[in-house]
Structure formats: structure tokens, C-alpha cells
Amino acid sequence: MKTSRRGHAVLVLATCVTLALAAVWSGASNAVAARSKPIRSGVTAPRVRTGLENLERRVQEFTLPNGLRFLVVERHEAPVFSYFTVVNAGSSDENIGTTGLAHMMEHMAFKGTRVIGTSDFAAEQPLLAAEEAAWQALFAARQRAGRGDSTRLAGLEQGLTEAMKASNQYVVSNEMSRLIEEAGGQNLNAFTANDITAYFYSLPSNRLDFWGAMHAGGFVQPVFREFYKERDVVFEERRMRVESSPVGRLVDEFIHASYVAHPYGFGGIGHPSDLKGFSRSQGEDFFRRYYVAKNMTIAVVGDVTLDEVKRVATRFFGAISAAEPPLPPTTVEPEQRAERRVMIEEGSQPQILIGWKIPAATDPSYAAYKALADLLAGGNYSRLVKKFVKERKSATTMQAFTGFPGEKYPNQMMLYVAPAAGQDPEALEREIYAELDTLESHPFTAEEVAGYQVRMKAQKLGAVDANDRLAGELAQAQALYGDWRQFFREQERVQSLTPDALMQALQSAAKRSRRTVAMIVNPAAGQAPAGGR
């Protein structure tokens, strides 16, 4: 399954490092969620027209008695519909010892139910229990390994292998995905981010009841079959995306250096020992606590009617747990008071990551930080790209963005730089800071801000054109801001930006004491990496 998407934030980047970043933090980018307070509006300003007013009036909503919120937009131009489900739980809701569990929920999502994905659940169920008992016995023995018997450990490992083989004999692999595709399903996928987990695909409009049965079934009576097999798959994903990738290693070290207390510092994909240690029982507990109706939003857009969606929702989704969701993490990242630096010496291509701490997406100033990032290094029109890529040619790629590694909580405005061949990355870093200092005397112009506003309006209009993208934007806005209408208010905030607002954001964020820097540097010729031989 995919790891992340969002129309703005990190995933707008069209660079290879974007893919690496998204892979490493397992989601990044972010399609973000929140149990956060609605965005503070401050002084009410005259409403700015965005071209989306008619669409906003077409969004309909209802909430089931169990607390599950539905958003519906009727579009009858073609006989298809798309849905987008956001579960307000991601990697930042994990704990030490179980990092990576949120991502496991995504891997379990299409394993089936008591009816789908099995040839005989009555026979499979006791074997799944035996498999779990075998894992618990092995885990306990490994915890006592210092006093343990290697022969006994080998026997327990063999016992788990046999138990997995026994339970797997009843598995009908990929049956849920196959049934959806046979029904005309398109773009079946899911992703895990630091702030949410999301599920989505499209179907012909005459398959609405089928969709309700399939999608709700995975929430009402999921069966976490092949759990330990998939856990090994996730471990391999981490090995390929982090340990085996220079950019992956860089991003991983950067994240851990950036956060000393908040769960954003876990890194998203999970610590290696946790990926080898958590159990199916812990996964099922995570699901029971977070996959409850009040912690979810489902948007349906396309050739449907509100009454049809209500009928299907009541019939199939009403059985999802009405329990209260867990409270969000209480840990607040302390104020950063000193620059943090990570240097990786190896022979791969030099890379630079610079991050400055900024507020959460719910802060009224967030729109200014996003504009600042775009005008610094959002494309060929931006200040740093013009200077270092086009004119000096000291960098091959520069890209700035906000929302790393999430947006629900205070996050970072990032600058990624790929130095050109022969360039000293540390010298290039210093030149970048010097260029930022020149903004004090040469601030952004009204024309630059206006250009950004035009680009963002075009992006917004593009995001609502397709059913699947609109469903995703609405569901994620509901999760992030606590109100889907903020998807439309966001554009109004963009259209109200001024050069002064961007300069205030720059002055607040771009301080040495608020930044974290990570880079890959090559050892000097004939010199071993520091600390090694």
C-alpha cells in the first residue's frame, strides 16, 4: 500500500527525495489528521472569493448514532463514485515498544473478515489462537534469553513456524482485493502517515451496497490473519527504505535529531526492535481503541445521492464501535534552543536537509509559512532556486515545504538541497543562510505573493475536479481542522496573504536556534570516515 498523499504539503514535491522522505516516515506528508481545536480565525475579515463557493454549498453531511461522520457530494456526470476514509490515528499515536503498529493496520486492512479471506473460519479461528500463543511463548523466552536455553528457543521458533503454516492453510490470499477489483474497483489503496491512516478506492455507482458491505466489514469484524508474515514485510520495507538508502538514512537520523520528546521523533515506520517484537494481540488492541466511529470520517463523492449513502451507512456502518477514542498524546515537544546537526560521512551523493520549527497547521499563521516555503524554493520562480540552481549552478535540486513530518502538531519547514558535483555541502549551506539574510533588505514583493496565490488557486481547483481527490481533501480537512469547511477557508487565507505576513514568518522561523541540519558529506580523499577505519 502507498504511504502518503496530500494535495499540498510534502507530497506536492516532484523530486526523488520526496519519494524517499515519504517512504521513510511512512507517511508523511501529509495527509494529516487531528483531534485539534478548530482553527482560530482572529479578527473576522471580509470573505475572499475563491471560485469554490458553489462547490462548498453542495457538500452535505450526516452523522450516524455511533458518531461516524459522512460527507457527501453528488456528481452525476459519470456512473462512478469515490470514497475516502480517514482514521484519526497514525504513527504519532504509537508508544515506545509498539512503534510501527499504525502502519500494520494498513497492512491488515484487506486481509478480510470472518467471511472473506478464509476458506473455513471455524477451523481457522483456533489455529490463529494457537499461532498467537506460540508467538507469546517465543517472545517471553527471548526476553529471558540471557538466562535462556538456545535449544529451547530453537524449538519455540520452530513451533511458531508450524503454527503459522497451520493457520495459513485456510487463508484465501487477496480475496477482498480481488472481489473489489472484480466489482469494477479502481485505485484500491491506503496509506499511513504520522497523523492519520486513510483508505480509498472508486467503484461504479451501482456497487454502493457492495462497497458498504466490504468496507464496513473490515471495520466491524476484521481478522488479522497473516499478521506475523506482514510484520516481516514491514520490517523488510524499513530495511530497504532506511538502512539500504542513503537518503533514507539521512532522513531517519534527521527526524530523531529534530524531536527529543514528541512522538514525531519515532520516525513513522517503526524501530527495528519494535517491528520484531509487537504482537497480533497488541495490534488488535490498537485497532479496538482507535478504529472507532467517532475517530473516523468518510467522504463519498460521485454518482450517489444523500439518501442512498445514508441508507448504506445505516445498514453497514452503524455496527462500528461507538466507544470514545483515546485522547491525543500529551507530550509537548520542548522549545528548541540550540541548533542540532547530524553529519553522515559516506561515499554517496552529498545531500542537505534543513528544518526550522513552525506551528501546527491549525495556527492562523500556517498559511504564511507555506507561502514562504514556496517562494523560497518551490520552483523555478523561487528565490533560492533562481540563485543556486539556475544562476550559480551550485545545486542541482532545491525544494522547500512545510508539514514535516506531520501537520497536526508543531512541525518543520524543510529545505532539501542536492549540491552539484564538486560542491562543498557545508559551504553551500552557509551561502544559503547568507541569501536568507538578504531578504531583510529585499523582501518578497506583492507580485511574488500574487503569483503564489494564482498557483494555489489553480491547485485548489485541480484538487476538486476529480471525485477521488475531492473526497480526500474533504475528509482530511475534517480530521485536521475539525471542520471540512476549512478546506475552503484555507484558500481564503491564501488569498489574504501579504508580503509582511511572509516576512513575519521568516523572522519567526529562520533562526539558528530553531533549526536542525542533517547532511551527507564525502570523506576527504584517502581519509576514512570519522570514528572509523
Side-chain angles (χ1 to χ4, degrees), residues 70 87 157 195 206 320 394 399:
F70 279 80
V87 180
E157 289 170 353
D195 298 331
N206 61 0
I320 295 176
S394 54
Q399 184 70 61

Side-chain angles (χ1 to χ4, degrees), residues 241-253:
R241 296 172 177 179
V242 179
E243 281 82 5
S244 299
S245 165
V247 174
R249 294 191 293 273
L250 180 70
V251 173
D252 194 51
E253 293 291 347

Side-chain angles (χ1 to χ4, degrees), residues 1-6 8-12 17-33 84 89-92 94 100 102-104 106-107 190-198 200 234 237-238 241-242 251-252 255 264 266-270 401-408 476:
M1 297 299 166
K2 286 182 181 177
T3 52
S4 189
R5 67 162 288 282
R6 183 163 168 81
H8 51 280
V10 177
L11 295 179
V12 300
V17 73
T18 305
L19 301 177
L21 294 175
V24 171
W25 75 75
S26 184
S29 72
N30 245 15
V32 285
F84 198 100
S91 302
S92 63
E94 297 165 346
H103 188 196
M104 278 298 297
E106 173 198 329
H107 279 251
F191 67 77
T192 307
N194 275 277
D195 298 331
I196 63 165
T197 306
F200 48 96
V234 173
E237 285 182 17
R238 178 190 167 86
R241 296 172 177 179
V242 179
V251 173
D252 194 51
I255 292 174
Y264 275 170
F266 290 164
I269 199 167
F401 50 94
T402 61
F404 183 86
E407 291 184 290
K408 179 193 297 187
Q476 291 172 87

Side-chain angles (χ1 to χ4, degrees), residues 258-505:
S258 298
Y259 294 91
V260 299
H262 194 271
Y264 275 170
F266 290 164
I269 199 167
H271 295 305
S273 59
D274 292 352
L275 294 176
K276 286 291 188 180
F278 59 62
S279 67
R280 187 173 71 225
S281 296
Q282 290 172 308
E284 291 169 341
D285 180 64
F286 185 94
F287 184 92
R288 282 192 297 269
R289 288 186 296 118
Y290 287 98
Y291 279 63
V292 297
K294 295 175 184 176
N295 211 35
M296 298 164 61
T297 299
I298 300 178
V300 182
V301 178
D303 187 28
V304 297
T305 67
L306 179 64
D307 288 342
E308 288 173 340
V309 177
K310 281 184 176 180
R311 175 183 59 79
V312 170
T314 301
R315 178 182 178 186
F316 296 107
F317 293 88
I320 295 176
S321 172
E324 292 294 325
L327 295 174
T330 57
T331 300
V332 177
E333 180 68 17
E335 179 183 357
Q336 184 171 333
R337 296 187 175 89
E339 181 188 58
R340 300 168 187 167
R341 298 185 68 83
V342 173
M343 306 293 286
I344 300 178
E345 290 190 10
E346 59 178 62
S348 60
Q349 169 67 34
Q351 316 264 354
I352 304 171
L353 285 177
I354 306 171
W356 293 273
K357 295 290 174 59
I358 62 174
T362 48
D363 191 283
S365 66
Y366 197 69
Y369 289 101
K370 292 178 70 174
L372 172 62
D374 183 80
L375 292 181
L376 283 176
N380 290 336
Y381 50 82
S382 57
R383 293 282 185 98
L384 297 182
V385 172
K386 285 181 179 179
K387 176 69 69 174
F388 295 101
V389 178
K390 297 176 73 67
E391 296 175 10
R392 295 185 182 176
K393 301 188 186 320
S394 54
T396 60
T397 302
M398 299 188 79
Q399 184 70 61
F401 50 94
T402 61
F404 183 86
E407 291 184 290
K408 179 193 297 187
Y409 304 105
N411 55 83
Q412 295 181 88
M413 181 176 71
M414 299 290 297
L415 177 65
Y416 165 73
V417 183
Q423 292 291 317
D424 177 0
E426 292 183 272
L428 179 55
E429 178 198 5
R430 291 190 294 272
E431 292 172 8
I432 290 170
Y433 298 146
E435 185 65 21
L436 291 177
D437 288 340
T438 67
L439 288 170
E440 293 291 340
S441 56
H442 296 84
F444 294 111
T445 65
E447 289 75 17
E448 286 176 297
V449 174
Y452 171 76
Q453 291 167 333
V454 170
R455 289 190 295 276
M456 292 306 103
K457 185 173 183 178
Q459 283 189 17
K460 206 76 162 181
L461 293 173
V464 305
D465 188 51
N467 291 344
D468 55 351
R469 292 186 64 187
L470 177 58
E473 293 290 352
L474 292 174
Q476 291 172 87
Q478 179 66 41
L480 172 60
Y481 297 116
D483 184 356
W484 57 266
R485 296 169 185 83
Q486 291 301 330
F487 169 70
F488 300 96
R489 302 292 84 76
E490 180 182 44
Q491 183 61 16
E492 294 169 5
R493 290 189 287 275
V494 168
Q495 297 303 317
S496 300
L497 286 171
T498 65
D500 285 346
L502 271 65
M503 290 306 299
Q504 290 173 11

